Amino acid sequence: MQAIIISVGDELTLGQAVDTNSAWLSARLAELGILTRAHMTVPDDQGAIVQAVRQAAESAGWIVITGGLGPTRDDLTRQALAEVRGVPLVEHAPSLARIKRFFKDRGRVMTESNRVQAMAPRGAMMLDNPQGTAPGLRLAIGRALVFALPGVPVEMKAMVEQHLAPLGAGRAGRTVLTRKLNTFGIGEAMVGEALGDLMRRDRNPTIGTTVSAGIVSVRIRSDFPTRARARTELDRASKIVKQKLGAAVFSEGEVSLAAVVGERLRARHLTVATAESCTAGLVAAMLTEAPGASAWFLGGWVVYANRMKTVALGVPAALIAREGAVSEAVARRMAAEALRRTLGDYALALTGVAGPGGGSPGKPVGTVWIGLGKKTAGRSRVTAERFLLPGDRAMVRERAAKAALNMLRLELLPAGGKGAAGRSKCAPRRRKAGNTRKE
């Protein structure tokens, strides 16, 4: 069975909000064995909704609509469905009673406008909403089964689990499970080359790649008659992908690089500090996104101007004048000073040319030096790597921050993990510059 998802709202068509409902719905329906054929987005316009529903009903077994069930004049989904069916809207007394009870239980007065939420096209089934006031709708249009759900994510998700999931699981006769493996430090072409025939479109599980903000994600879809078989094949395919890509794989799902680094530091009772120029605190911000980050993140410096590198961190002005602020020597000294002043276990330092101006033939826009300091047995060891990152100013800064986090992630890999990475042709390349010196 296939589904079409219709998202309703001016805020979506005008670009004022991102449609996260459709992404979640597609993934959840796939788990039920129902593949999404298309996403459609329409404004709060009755005619547009009617047209979208009629079009979808010609090519899908399920139509799932989100949005347009509120109490205001621009909520027009129920009216559009009544028009498609050619029937009037009628009041559903049990739904009205429930809406009144919802407000009474919370000590609030129900406005007259909320009454419209108890209206439905004649013959439609009302779907209970355990999280809000707007009930959903279920009705048939031609051979398609239509579900209309509120656009509020928490309400929509609860109603999918209560009303759609049991129905879908009984009809599909198949299970589709998905997994996303995230990599950093290698390009999409290299990932594709390493996976080879695994990416053939006639295979099951199917494997594909997507790229976002420097992260190449490998997406695996396992489609089988039973959940047990789908899970077994998904796990097997994931294992093979990880073997082929080695240390380039840093997480599954939506787990970020910073979260992986933070968890590894926490597990080993280690700490890190930062000294940032071109990224202006972005690495520190990423490291502290997770609650409890004080267990591994000590603090850092934003030393954007050369004078601050000297005043706040003690980088000699003569060194900056001789080597340039964007240089191996300055990155190393920044990392060494951050390590010394915080008494931490690791330090990350970044200095570069984010653009759009400031580049030169020797140091074009996108040039970033990243220093990594490590303290072992009371002695400090500092290395530095040079990166040439593509993109505009925002992209260079974000990729530089992630490159720094990835350097630390690879440093924190256990000995066995580093060995496996070395054998993988897709291991992230460590571009060490200059000799390693004791600081």
Side-chain angles (χ1 to χ4, degrees):
M1 186 190 303
Q2 292 186 324
I4 289 178
I5 297 170
I6 302 175
S7 301
V8 179
D10 287 344
E11 72 279 7
L12 301 177
T13 56
L14 292 173
Q16 297 171 328
V18 176
D19 178 17
T20 58
N21 282 350
S22 291
W24 185 89
L25 268 170
S26 292
R28 187 66 183 97
L29 291 176
E31 291 178 356
L32 300 173
I34 301 169
L35 298 185
T36 299
R37 181 183 182 89
H39 292 175
M40 303 174 70
T41 305
V42 296
D44 293 309
D45 177 87
Q46 186 168 329
I49 302 171
V50 168
Q51 182 180 359
V53 171
R54 286 174 173 163
Q55 180 181 339
E58 295 177 356
S59 54
W62 273 23
I63 302 171
V64 184
I65 307 171
T66 64
L69 295 179
T72 60
R73 292 177 181 271
D74 61 348
D75 291 305
L76 298 167
T77 295
R78 59 178 65 83
Q79 293 90 329
L81 291 174
E83 180 179 340
V84 174
R85 284 284 299 270
V87 297
L89 287 173
V90 295
E91 188 171 270
H92 185 248
S95 292
L96 180 60
R98 184 192 170 282
I99 294 170
K100 290 180 177 179
R101 187 169 62 252
F102 180 94
F103 282 95
K104 183 179 179 181
D105 290 347
R106 289 157 178 78
R108 296 161 56 191
V109 178
M110 187 190 91
T111 64
E112 188 62 24
S113 62
N114 283 106
R115 196 179 191 98
V116 73
Q117 294 181 297
M119 303 292 287
R122 189 173 62 198
M125 178 186 297
M126 299 293 265
L127 303 177
D128 180 55
N129 180 351
Q131 298 288 340
T133 59
L137 302 169
R138 171 184 163 185
L139 64 161
I141 294 179
R143 291 180 295 178
L145 190 59
V146 180
F147 301 90
L149 306 175
V152 180
V154 66
E155 297 180 26
M156 179 272 294
K157 292 177 182 179
M159 294 179 72
V160 166
E161 299 305 330
Q162 181 173 328
H163 302 292
L164 276 68
L167 187 62
R171 289 188 173 199
R174 65 197 287 200
T175 298
V176 181
L177 299 179
T178 63
R179 185 170 296 165
K180 184 173 72 164
L181 304 179
N182 304 306
T183 73
F184 189 82
I186 56 177
E188 186 177 22
M190 186 177 291
V191 171
E193 181 181 330
L195 297 181
D197 285 348
L198 289 175
M199 294 186 68
R200 284 202 338 253
R201 303 314 295 164
D202 60 346
R203 292 181 61 94
N204 186 16
T206 59
I207 296 177
T209 59
T210 56
V211 183
S212 176
I215 292 173
V216 180
S217 296
V218 179
R219 297 179 181 271
I220 308 171
R221 187 182 79 188
S222 181
D223 183 350
F224 288 92
T226 67
R227 187 175 186 85
R229 178 74 187 282
R231 174 66 62 186
T232 297
E233 297 299 331
L234 181 65
D235 290 342
R236 180 180 292 120
S238 299
K239 183 177 180 181
I240 295 173
V241 169
K242 290 178 179 179
Q243 288 173 341
K244 288 183 174 292
L245 299 182
V249 178
F250 68 84
S251 76
E252 294 186 9
E254 303 307 317
V255 180
S256 68
L257 259 174
V260 171
V261 170
E263 176 55 30
R264 287 184 178 167
L265 289 169
R266 184 201 62 78
R268 294 170 60 179
H269 305 288
L270 298 171
T271 57
V272 64
T274 56
E276 302 181 62
S277 181
C278 61
T279 46
L282 187 54
V283 178
M286 289 179 175
L287 282 168
T288 54
E289 285 176 356
S294 58
W296 62 82
F297 182 68
L298 296 174
W301 290 261
V302 176
V303 285
Y304 210 74
N306 289 345
R307 180 169 176 269
M308 288 301 295
K309 293 178 177 65
T310 300
V311 172
L313 267 183
V315 178
L319 178 66
I320 298 174
R322 184 177 68 250
E323 302 289 341
V326 181
S327 62
E328 175 193 359
V330 170
R332 289 165 57 86
R333 188 59 180 261
M334 288 170 61
E337 290 292 339
L339 197 62
R340 181 179 69 84
R341 292 165 187 253
T342 59
L343 302 179
D345 299 295
Y346 290 96
L348 290 169
L350 300 91
T351 178
V353 185
S360 67
K363 297 175 184 178
V365 170
T367 299
V368 179
W369 278 94
I370 302 176
L372 172 62
K374 176 183 179 180
K375 186 171 291 182
T376 306
R379 301 190 67 186
S380 298
R381 178 176 179 270
V382 180
T383 58
E385 298 186 32
R386 179 182 180 272
F387 294 82
L388 185 57
L389 303 171
D392 60 17
R393 181 179 179 81
M395 291 174 62
V396 168
R397 285 157 56 102
E398 182 177 2
R399 292 182 179 185
K402 289 176 179 176
L405 292 171
N406 197 52
M407 284 176 62
L408 182 52
R409 176 185 73 89
L410 294 173
E411 183 67 32
L412 291 167
L413 284 176
K418 291 179 182 178
R423 290 191 296 272
S424 170
K425 68 179 180 179
C426 274
R429 295 180 181 178
R430 308 295 303 275
R431 294 174 293 278
K432 291 183 179 177
N435 296 323
T436 299
R437 298 191 293 269
K438 305 296 182 185
E439 298 288 350

